Amino acid sequence: MPLSEHEQRMLEQMERALYAEDPKFASALEGSGLRTYTRRRVYQAVAGFLVGIALLMAGMVAQLIWVSVVGFLVMLGCAVLAVTGWRKTPKPGEQPAGAARRQVRPKRSVMDRIEQRWQRRRDEQGH
């Protein structure tokens, strides 16, 4: 469930206050969950890559081409996951990639914008 604009403003104010009070603690907290998640995903991809190697070798030994092909595809998929996961991992103290997007206002429909303008005009006129 997305946050309302008021809730987003309140969250941003709380984040700014936390940075003002203790910037070292705030930077330590920032992105640590994402870092842990991506690190775990990279480890899983490496384990999957090793399973793919085992399948490839087992297919070669048993002379079953389809097992070797499956092993190669598992290796390829896990390699892609590991590389993309490693690139997305934020460095300690670095702002996660999603944080920059969080500050951008979500796109609203044309009708929502028209209604907002209409409300603003009515409020400015004192109705």
Side-chain angles (χ1 to χ4, degrees):
M1 184 168 138
L3 297 175
S4 69
E5 288 185 31
H6 175 70
E7 291 170 332
Q8 287 177 349
R9 282 194 302 267
M10 293 294 290
L11 182 61
E12 289 173 3
Q13 288 175 354
M14 290 168 42
E15 287 176 353
R16 283 193 298 265
L18 178 62
Y19 276 108
E21 287 179 21
D22 194 356
K24 186 176 179 181
F25 176 69
S27 65
L29 286 180
E30 183 182 70
S32 63
L34 180 64
R35 230 184 358 257
T36 303
Y37 170 75
T38 53
R39 187 178 303 137
R40 186 177 338 129
R41 189 167 177 177
V42 167
Y43 291 150
Q44 290 171 350
V46 168
F49 188 83
L50 295 175
V51 168
I53 290 175
L55 283 172
L56 182 74
M57 298 304 281
M60 298 292 282
V61 169
Q63 294 182 349
L64 296 172
I65 301 288
W66 66 272
V67 174
S68 296
V69 170
V70 169
F72 177 75
L73 292 175
V74 168
M75 288 171 50
L76 183 64
C78 289
V80 168
L81 281 176
V83 170
T84 58
W86 194 261
R87 286 183 184 167
K88 290 180 183 177
T89 305
K91 306 293 183 258
E94 183 179 74
Q95 194 170 10
R101 281 185 240 134
R102 218 181 326 150
Q103 295 172 354
V104 176
R105 288 185 180 168
K107 290 186 177 181
R108 297 183 303 243
S109 70
V110 173
M111 287 304 294
D112 288 339
R113 290 186 296 209
I114 291 172
E115 285 179 20
Q116 231 178 13
R117 288 179 189 161
W118 181 260
Q119 264 317 94
R120 221 176 317 142
R121 288 180 187 152
R122 291 190 74 198
D123 291 344
E124 287 173 358
Q125 292 175 356
H127 291 164

